[in-house]
Amino acid sequence: MSVSCEGRTVAVRASKVRAMLATLALEPGHVVSHVELADELWAGHPVGNPRNALQAHATRVRKVLGQPAGDATILRAVPNGYLLNVSRDRVDGNRFLDHAVRGADALPGAPELALRHLESALALWRGPALLDAGDGLRCRSAGALFEERRLTVWEDLASARLIVGDESRAIAELRQLAAQYPLRERFCELLMLALYRTGRQSDALELFRLTQRRLDEELGIQPAAPLQRRHAEILAHDPSLGHPSALWGHRERGRDGLPTG
């Protein structure tokens, strides 16, 4: 974890300082209570005097943020907790989410704009989200949600590349993603479409067979309906596969019937 302030970037090395700063940064401008902070920093292993301990860590956070002694402009102590007094767009996580939403919204009608937002979102990624922010429930839950959103951004980015006709780059990226996340069916579905559009029907069908076998061997399930439909469309040389609508017509609902993105 690092903090950028006035042109300088400072690595946050102390684990409890990282945890406190990350917890506050998840809700900039909002008070996080002493109790909530203590639960996050000590995760079921309470200390004797948590308020004093939090005060000591707050002093270290202010030092990392470059606040002069006695200055509470950025990190403010309030009667029942602490508040990180920055706008939400000063936090990379929020900037990532904003770009992700704008990219997804622009995808159907403005794919070039979607590409810019989605690439900007992924450019903010420095590694697993909140990996070094401790074992607290808030940061662990937020990290999992950020990771899921990152994968959705990759799906949207691949869709945008296919809409604008950049199949070769989409294939290169999707091959890596499908290898890293072989059970994520949306990556397989998009890669199958990209291969088919470049005249590689047999490769697309072989990819389906490999994914089907892996799902059966590792999870004991068959591919979900969207992936099976894509397979059937490729077998039938369905003309709709060449239209932009092929990229979002199958993603409204997942295996459990809930919206997928």
Side-chain angles (χ1 to χ4, degrees):
M1 178 184 293
S2 62
V3 174
S4 297
C5 184
E6 296 181 351
R8 67 187 183 98
T9 299
V10 179
V12 185
R13 303 193 183 281
S15 60
K16 292 294 188 276
V17 174
R18 289 197 303 265
M20 186 172 188
L21 183 55
T23 303
L24 293 167
L26 288 173
E27 299 185 69
H30 297 277
V31 174
V32 181
S33 72
H34 294 121
V35 172
E36 292 170 317
L37 282 169
D39 285 345
E40 193 67 20
L41 267 65
W42 289 283
H45 304 282
V47 295
N49 193 329
R51 291 204 178 196
N52 284 353
L54 287 171
Q55 186 175 23
H57 291 313
T59 298
R60 298 186 182 103
V61 170
R62 291 190 178 101
K63 184 177 180 181
V64 168
L65 295 174
Q67 289 184 240
D71 183 0
T73 304
I74 302 177
L75 177 59
R76 290 171 47 194
V78 296
N80 65 331
Y82 289 90
L83 177 151
L84 190 64
N85 189 31
V86 298
S87 60
R88 67 181 308 279
D89 61 358
R90 296 284 298 278
V91 179
D92 280 351
N94 290 328
R95 294 169 59 206
F96 163 78
L97 292 174
D98 288 345
H99 280 301
V101 169
R102 291 171 185 169
D105 289 345
L107 189 58
E112 292 85 0
L113 177 61
L115 275 172
R116 291 197 293 274
H117 279 300
L118 297 167
E119 288 174 339
S120 295
L122 292 170
L124 292 166
W125 209 263
R126 299 289 182 269
L130 301 171
L131 177 66
D132 55 0
D135 297 324
L137 180 60
R138 284 189 179 207
C139 286
R140 285 191 290 111
S141 298
L145 290 171
F146 275 119
E147 174 62 14
E148 175 61 29
R149 195 69 182 93
R150 181 182 73 91
L151 296 179
T152 304
V153 169
W154 273 114
E155 293 170 355
D156 289 342
L157 181 62
S159 297
R161 295 206 195 286
L162 291 175
I163 292 172
V164 301
D166 192 358
E167 282 87 1
S168 60
R169 189 166 181 183
I171 289 172
E173 292 171 347
L174 285 167
R175 281 198 182 281
Q176 293 185 24
L177 291 163
Q180 190 174 359
Y181 303 95
L183 302 180
R184 193 170 180 96
E185 295 179 43
R186 179 63 176 166
F187 287 146
C188 175
E189 183 189 345
L190 288 166
L191 181 53
M192 286 171 62
L193 179 61
L195 291 169
Y196 178 80
R197 285 186 172 184
T198 54
R200 299 160 69 182
Q201 183 192 32
S202 61
D203 289 344
L205 296 175
E206 178 61 19
L207 176 62
F208 175 84
R209 285 190 289 271
L210 290 172
T211 302
Q212 183 181 42
R213 186 173 66 211
R214 188 183 291 261
L215 288 168
D216 180 45
E217 292 174 349
E218 297 191 23
L219 301 179
I221 60 175
Q222 289 297 304
L227 187 54
Q228 293 197 41
R229 285 197 296 266
R230 181 68 75 220
H231 177 248
E233 290 166 348
I234 290 174
L235 279 173
H237 293 279
D238 192 318
S240 68
L241 292 173
H243 300 159
S245 61
L247 290 157
W248 50 78
H250 292 170
R251 62 177 301 214
E252 290 84 359
R253 298 193 174 273
R255 184 185 301 277
D256 55 5
L258 296 175
T260 60

